[in-house]
Coordinates of all heavy atoms in Angstrom, one line a residue:
M171 N 30.8 1.8 27.4 CA 29.5 2.4 27.1 C 29.2 3.4 28.4 O 29.7 3.3 29.4 CB 28.4 1.3 27.1 CG 28.2 0.5 28.4 SD 26.8 -0.5 28.5 CE 26.7 -1.3 27.0
R172 N 28.3 4.3 27.9 CA 27.8 5.3 28.9 C 26.4 5.2 29.0 O 25.7 5.2 27.9 CB 28.4 6.7 28.6 CG 28.1 7.7 29.6 CD 29.0 9.0 29.4 NE 28.8 9.5 28.1 CZ 27.9 10.4 27.8 NH1 27.0 10.8 28.6 NH2 27.8 10.9 26.6
I173 N 25.8 5.3 30.2 CA 24.3 5.3 30.3 C 23.9 6.7 30.5 O 24.4 7.5 31.2 CB 23.8 4.5 31.5 CG1 24.5 3.0 31.5 CG2 22.4 4.4 31.6 CD1 24.3 2.4 32.8
V174 N 22.8 7.1 29.7 CA 22.2 8.4 29.8 C 20.8 8.1 30.4 O 20.0 7.3 29.8 CB 22.1 9.1 28.5 CG1 21.5 10.4 28.6 CG2 23.6 9.3 27.9
A175 N 20.4 8.9 31.5 CA 19.1 8.6 32.1 C 18.4 10.0 31.9 O 18.9 11.0 32.3 CB 19.2 8.2 33.5
D176 N 17.2 10.0 31.4 CA 16.2 11.1 31.3 C 15.3 11.1 32.5 O 14.3 10.5 32.3 CB 15.6 11.1 30.0 CG 14.7 12.4 29.7 OD1 14.5 13.1 30.7 OD2 14.3 12.6 28.6
T177 N 15.6 11.7 33.5 CA 14.7 11.7 34.7 C 13.4 12.3 34.5 O 12.4 11.9 35.1 CB 15.4 12.3 35.9 OG1 15.9 13.6 35.6 CG2 16.6 11.5 36.4
G178 N 13.3 13.1 33.4 CA 12.0 13.7 33.0 C 11.1 12.7 32.5 O 9.8 12.8 32.5
R179 N 11.6 11.6 31.9 CA 10.7 10.6 31.3 C 10.5 9.4 32.2 O 9.7 8.6 32.2 CB 11.4 10.0 30.0 CG 11.4 10.9 28.9 CD 12.0 10.4 27.7 NE 11.1 9.4 27.0 CZ 11.3 9.0 25.8 NH1 12.3 9.5 25.1 NH2 10.5 8.1 25.3
C180 N 11.5 9.3 33.2 CA 11.4 8.2 34.1 C 10.1 8.2 35.0 O 9.7 9.3 35.5 CB 12.7 8.2 35.1 SG 12.6 7.0 36.5
I181 N 9.4 7.1 35.1 CA 8.2 7.0 35.8 C 8.4 6.3 37.2 O 7.4 6.0 37.8 CB 7.1 6.4 35.0 CG1 7.5 4.9 34.6 CG2 6.7 7.3 33.8 CD1 6.3 4.3 33.9
G182 N 9.6 6.0 37.5 CA 9.9 5.4 38.8 C 9.4 4.0 38.9 O 9.2 3.5 40.0
A183 N 9.4 3.3 37.7 CA 8.8 1.9 37.7 C 9.9 0.9 38.5 O 9.4 -0.1 38.9 CB 8.6 1.4 36.4
G184 N 11.1 1.3 38.5 CA 12.1 0.5 39.2 C 12.5 -0.8 38.5 O 13.2 -1.6 39.1
M185 N 12.2 -0.9 37.3 CA 12.5 -2.1 36.5 C 14.1 -2.2 36.4 O 14.7 -3.3 36.5 CB 11.9 -2.1 35.1 CG 10.4 -2.3 35.1 SD 9.8 -3.6 35.9 CE 10.3 -4.9 34.8
C186 N 14.7 -1.1 36.2 CA 16.2 -1.1 36.0 C 16.9 -1.4 37.3 O 17.8 -2.2 37.3 CB 16.6 0.3 35.5 SG 16.1 1.7 36.6
V187 N 16.3 -1.0 38.4 CA 16.9 -1.4 39.7 C 16.7 -2.8 39.9 O 17.7 -3.5 40.5 CB 16.2 -0.5 40.8 CG1 16.9 -0.8 42.1 CG2 16.3 0.9 40.5
L188 N 15.6 -3.4 39.6 CA 15.4 -4.8 39.8 C 16.3 -5.6 39.0 O 16.8 -6.7 39.3 CB 14.0 -5.2 39.4 CG 12.9 -4.8 40.5 CD1 11.5 -5.1 40.1 CD2 13.2 -5.5 41.9
A189 N 16.5 -5.1 37.8 CA 17.4 -5.9 36.8 C 18.9 -5.8 37.1 O 19.6 -6.7 36.9 CB 17.1 -5.4 35.4
L190 N 19.3 -4.6 37.6 CA 20.7 -4.5 37.9 C 20.9 -3.4 38.9 O 21.3 -2.2 38.6 CB 21.4 -4.0 36.5 CG 22.9 -4.0 36.4 CD1 23.5 -5.4 36.9 CD2 23.4 -3.6 35.0
G191 N 20.8 -3.8 40.2 CA 20.9 -2.9 41.3 C 22.2 -2.3 41.5 O 22.4 -1.4 42.3
E192 N 23.3 -2.9 41.0 CA 24.7 -2.4 41.1 C 24.8 -1.1 40.4 O 25.7 -0.3 40.6 CB 25.7 -3.3 40.6 CG 25.8 -4.7 41.2 CD 26.4 -5.7 40.2 OE1 27.6 -5.4 39.8 OE2 25.8 -6.7 39.9
V193 N 24.0 -0.9 39.3 CA 24.2 0.2 38.3 C 23.1 1.3 38.6 O 23.4 2.4 38.4 CB 24.2 -0.2 36.9 CG1 24.2 0.9 36.0 CG2 25.5 -1.2 36.7
F194 N 21.9 0.8 38.8 CA 20.7 1.7 39.0 C 20.2 1.8 40.4 O 20.1 0.7 41.0 CB 19.6 1.2 38.0 CG 20.1 1.1 36.6 CD1 20.4 0.0 36.0 CD2 20.1 2.3 35.8 CE1 20.8 -0.2 34.7 CE2 20.5 2.2 34.5 CZ 20.8 1.0 33.9
D195 N 19.8 2.9 40.7 CA 19.1 3.1 42.1 C 18.0 4.0 41.8 O 17.8 4.6 40.6 CB 20.0 3.5 43.1 CG 19.5 3.3 44.5 OD1 18.4 2.8 44.7 OD2 20.3 3.6 45.5
Q196 N 17.2 4.2 42.9 CA 16.0 5.2 42.7 C 16.2 6.3 43.7 O 16.5 6.0 44.9 CB 14.7 4.5 42.8 CG 14.3 3.7 41.6 CD 13.1 3.0 41.9 OE1 13.0 1.9 42.3 NE2 11.9 3.5 41.5
S197 N 15.9 7.5 43.3 CA 15.9 8.6 44.3 C 14.9 8.4 45.4 O 13.8 8.0 45.2 CB 15.5 9.9 43.5 OG 15.1 10.9 44.4
E198 N 15.4 8.7 46.7 CA 14.5 8.6 47.8 C 13.4 9.7 47.7 O 12.4 9.6 48.4 CB 15.3 8.6 49.1 CG 16.1 7.5 49.3 CD 16.8 7.5 50.6 OE1 16.4 8.3 51.5 OE2 17.7 6.6 50.8
D199 N 13.6 10.7 47.0 CA 12.7 11.8 46.9 C 11.5 11.6 46.0 O 10.4 11.6 46.4 CB 13.3 13.2 46.4 CG 14.4 13.7 47.5 OD1 14.2 13.4 48.6 OD2 15.3 14.3 47.0
D200 N 11.8 11.2 44.8 CA 10.6 11.0 43.9 C 10.7 9.7 43.1 O 9.9 9.5 42.1 CB 10.7 12.2 42.8 CG 12.0 12.3 42.0 OD1 12.8 11.4 42.2 OD2 12.2 13.3 41.3
G201 N 11.6 8.8 43.5 CA 11.6 7.5 42.9 C 12.2 7.5 41.5 O 12.2 6.3 40.9
T202 N 12.7 8.6 40.9 CA 13.3 8.6 39.6 C 14.7 7.9 39.7 O 15.3 7.8 40.8 CB 13.4 9.9 39.0 OG1 14.1 10.8 39.9 CG2 12.0 10.5 38.7
V203 N 15.1 7.5 38.6 CA 16.3 6.7 38.4 C 17.6 7.4 38.9 O 17.8 8.7 38.6 CB 16.5 6.1 37.1 CG1 16.7 7.2 36.0 CG2 17.6 5.1 37.0
V204 N 18.5 6.8 39.5 CA 19.8 7.4 39.9 C 20.8 6.4 39.4 O 20.7 5.2 39.6 CB 19.9 7.5 41.4 CG1 21.4 8.0 41.8 CG2 18.9 8.4 42.0
L205 N 21.8 6.9 38.7 CA 22.9 6.1 38.1 C 24.0 6.0 39.1 O 24.7 6.9 39.4 CB 23.4 6.7 36.8 CG 22.3 6.8 35.6 CD1 23.0 7.4 34.5 CD2 21.8 5.4 35.3
L206 N 24.2 4.8 39.6 CA 25.2 4.5 40.5 C 26.6 4.4 39.8 O 27.7 4.6 40.3 CB 24.9 3.2 41.4 CG 23.8 3.2 42.2 CD1 23.6 1.9 42.8 CD2 23.8 4.4 43.2
D207 N 26.5 3.8 38.6 CA 27.7 3.7 37.7 C 27.4 4.0 36.3 O 27.0 3.1 35.5 CB 28.1 2.2 37.9 CG 29.4 1.8 37.2 OD1 30.0 2.8 36.6 OD2 29.9 0.7 37.3
P208 N 27.5 5.3 35.9 CA 27.1 5.7 34.5 C 28.0 5.1 33.5 O 27.5 5.1 32.3 CB 27.1 7.2 34.6 CG 27.3 7.6 36.0 CD 27.9 6.3 36.7
E209 N 29.1 4.7 33.8 CA 30.0 4.1 32.8 C 30.5 2.7 33.2 O 31.6 2.5 33.6 CB 31.2 5.0 32.6 CG 30.8 6.3 31.9 CD 32.0 7.2 31.4 OE1 32.9 6.6 30.8 OE2 32.0 8.3 31.7
P210 N 29.6 1.8 33.2 CA 29.9 0.4 33.7 C 30.9 -0.3 32.8 O 31.0 0.1 31.6 CB 28.6 -0.3 33.6 CG 27.7 0.5 32.7 CD 28.2 1.8 32.7
P211 N 31.6 -1.2 33.4 CA 32.6 -1.9 32.6 C 32.0 -2.8 31.6 O 30.8 -3.2 31.6 CB 33.4 -2.7 33.7 CG 32.4 -2.9 34.8 CD 31.6 -1.7 34.7
A212 N 32.8 -3.1 30.5 CA 32.3 -3.9 29.4 C 31.7 -5.2 29.9 O 30.8 -5.8 29.3 CB 33.4 -4.1 28.4
S213 N 32.3 -5.7 30.9 CA 31.8 -7.0 31.4 C 30.3 -7.0 31.9 O 29.7 -8.0 31.9 CB 32.7 -7.4 32.6 OG 32.6 -6.5 33.7
K214 N 29.8 -5.7 32.1 CA 28.4 -5.7 32.5 C 27.5 -5.3 31.3 O 26.3 -5.1 31.4 CB 28.3 -4.6 33.5 CG 28.8 -5.0 34.8 CD 28.0 -4.5 36.0 CE 28.6 -4.8 37.4 NZ 29.5 -3.8 37.8
A215 N 28.1 -5.2 30.0 CA 27.3 -4.6 28.9 C 26.1 -5.4 28.7 O 25.0 -4.7 28.5 CB 28.2 -4.6 27.7
A216 N 26.1 -6.7 28.8 CA 24.8 -7.4 28.4 C 23.8 -7.1 29.4 O 22.6 -6.9 29.1 CB 25.2 -8.9 28.4
E217 N 24.0 -7.1 30.7 CA 23.1 -6.8 31.7 C 22.5 -5.4 31.7 O 21.4 -5.2 31.9 CB 23.7 -7.1 33.2 CG 24.0 -8.5 33.5 CD 24.8 -8.6 34.8 OE1 26.1 -8.4 34.7 OE2 24.1 -8.7 35.8
V218 N 23.5 -4.5 31.3 CA 23.0 -3.1 31.2 C 22.1 -3.0 30.0 O 21.0 -2.3 30.2 CB 24.3 -2.2 30.9 CG1 23.8 -0.8 30.6 CG2 25.1 -2.2 32.2
R219 N 22.3 -3.7 28.9 CA 21.5 -3.5 27.7 C 20.1 -4.1 28.1 O 19.1 -3.6 27.7 CB 22.0 -4.3 26.6 CG 23.2 -3.6 25.8 CD 23.3 -4.0 24.4 NE 24.4 -3.3 23.8 CZ 25.7 -3.5 24.0 NH1 26.1 -4.5 24.7 NH2 26.5 -2.7 23.5
R220 N 20.1 -5.2 28.9 CA 18.8 -5.8 29.2 C 18.1 -4.8 30.1 O 16.8 -4.7 29.9 CB 19.0 -7.1 30.0 CG 17.9 -8.0 30.0 CD 18.2 -9.4 30.7 NE 18.4 -9.3 32.1 CZ 17.4 -9.4 33.0 NH1 16.1 -9.7 32.5 NH2 17.5 -9.4 34.3
A221 N 18.7 -4.2 31.1 CA 18.0 -3.3 32.0 C 17.4 -2.1 31.2 O 16.3 -1.7 31.5 CB 19.0 -2.8 33.1
V222 N 18.2 -1.6 30.2 CA 17.7 -0.5 29.4 C 16.5 -0.9 28.6 O 15.5 -0.1 28.5 CB 18.9 0.0 28.5 CG1 18.3 1.0 27.5 CG2 19.9 0.7 29.3
Q223 N 16.5 -2.1 28.1 CA 15.4 -2.6 27.3 C 14.1 -2.7 28.1 O 13.0 -2.6 27.7 CB 15.7 -3.9 26.6 CG 16.6 -3.6 25.4 CD 17.1 -5.0 24.9 OE1 16.8 -6.0 25.3 NE2 18.0 -4.8 23.8
L224 N 14.3 -3.1 29.4 CA 13.2 -3.3 30.3 C 12.5 -1.9 30.7 O 11.3 -2.1 31.1 CB 13.7 -4.0 31.6 CG 14.0 -5.5 31.5 CD1 14.6 -6.0 32.7 CD2 12.7 -6.3 31.2
C225 N 13.2 -0.9 30.7 CA 12.5 0.4 31.1 C 11.3 0.6 30.3 O 11.4 0.7 29.1 CB 13.5 1.5 30.9 SG 12.8 3.0 31.3
P226 N 10.2 0.7 30.9 CA 8.9 0.9 30.3 C 8.7 2.4 29.7 O 7.9 2.5 28.9 CB 7.8 0.6 31.3 CG 8.4 0.9 32.6 CD 10.0 0.6 32.4
S227 N 9.5 3.3 30.1 CA 9.2 4.6 29.7 C 10.3 5.2 28.8 O 10.2 6.3 28.3 CB 9.2 5.6 31.0 OG 10.5 5.7 31.5
G228 N 11.2 4.4 28.4 CA 12.3 4.8 27.5 C 13.2 5.9 28.0 O 13.7 6.7 27.3
A229 N 13.3 5.8 29.3 CA 14.1 6.9 30.0 C 15.6 6.7 29.9 O 16.4 7.6 30.1 CB 13.7 7.0 31.5
L230 N 15.9 5.4 29.5 CA 17.4 5.0 29.6 C 17.9 4.9 28.1 O 17.2 4.3 27.2 CB 17.6 3.7 30.3 CG 17.1 3.7 31.8 CD1 17.3 2.4 32.3 CD2 18.0 4.7 32.6
S231 N 19.1 5.4 27.9 CA 19.6 5.2 26.6 C 21.1 4.9 26.8 O 21.7 5.2 27.9 CB 19.5 6.3 25.6 OG 19.7 7.5 26.1
L232 N 21.8 4.4 25.7 CA 23.2 4.0 25.9 C 24.0 4.8 24.8 O 23.5 5.0 23.7 CB 23.4 2.5 25.6 CG 22.8 1.6 26.7 CD1 23.0 0.2 26.2 CD2 23.6 1.8 28.0
V233 N 25.2 5.3 25.1 CA 26.0 5.9 24.3 C 27.2 5.0 24.2 O 28.0 4.7 25.2 CB 26.5 7.3 24.8 CG1 27.4 8.0 23.7 CG2 25.3 8.2 25.0
E234 N 27.5 4.5 22.9 CA 28.6 3.6 22.8 C 29.9 4.5 22.5 O 29.8 5.5 21.7 CB 28.4 2.6 21.6 CG 27.1 1.8 21.8 CD 27.3 0.7 22.9 OE1 28.4 0.5 23.3 OE2 26.3 0.1 23.3
P235 N 31.1 4.0 22.9 CA 32.3 4.9 22.6 C 32.6 4.7 21.1 O 32.2 3.7 20.6 CB 33.3 4.2 23.4 CG 32.8 2.8 23.7 CD 31.3 3.0 23.7
P236 N 33.1 5.8 20.5 CA 33.5 5.7 19.1 C 34.6 4.6 18.9 O 35.3 4.4 19.7 CB 34.0 7.1 18.8 CG 34.4 7.7 20.1 CD 33.5 7.0 21.1
P237 N 34.5 3.9 17.7 CA 35.4 2.8 17.5 C 36.8 3.4 17.5 O 37.1 4.5 17.0 CB 35.0 2.3 16.1 CG 34.0 3.2 15.6 CD 33.5 4.1 16.7
G238 N 37.7 2.5 18.0 CA 39.2 2.9 18.0 C 39.4 3.6 19.4 O 40.2 4.3 19.7
Ligands
SF4_65 S1 13.0 1.3 34.6 FE1 12.9 3.4 33.5 S2 11.1 4.2 34.5 FE2 11.7 2.6 35.8 S3 13.0 3.5 37.4 FE3 14.3 2.8 35.7 S4 14.6 4.5 34.4 FE4 12.9 5.0 35.6

């Protein structure tokens, strides 16, 4: 999976960072999301999905690889 972050929508709430700090961080300038690992391994998929769902502004989305 690949994570896509729309920093224009991010309100810097930091929920994603709290949920999964290995993958998400926040910019020191404006607090918007920074992806530390935009293509996390499948072993982290469940945690990544949870973090994406927690985002209050809908700034995060997931792109799943095509089957096969
Ligand atoms: S949870 Fe959403 S709004 Fe908050 S920092 Fe992460 S991407 Fe931005």
Side-chain angles (χ1 to χ4, degrees):
M171 63 166 49
R172 186 162 57 83
I173 307 169
V174 178
D176 181 347
T177 51
R179 289 181 74 164
C180 174
I181 56 171
M185 297 300 290
C186 55
V187 182
L188 286 175
L190 192 54
E192 299 158 56
V193 172
F194 301 98
D195 199 357
Q196 283 176 274
S197 159
E198 289 187 14
D199 294 329
D200 58 8
T202 56
V203 66
V204 174
L205 296 177
L206 300 177
D207 188 359
E209 295 193 41
S213 60
K214 291 216 180 91
E217 288 173 279
V218 170
R219 284 202 178 83
R220 197 173 78 89
V222 168
Q223 283 168 5
L224 282 172
C225 175
S227 69
L230 300 173
S231 51
L232 294 175
V233 180
E234 303 287 350

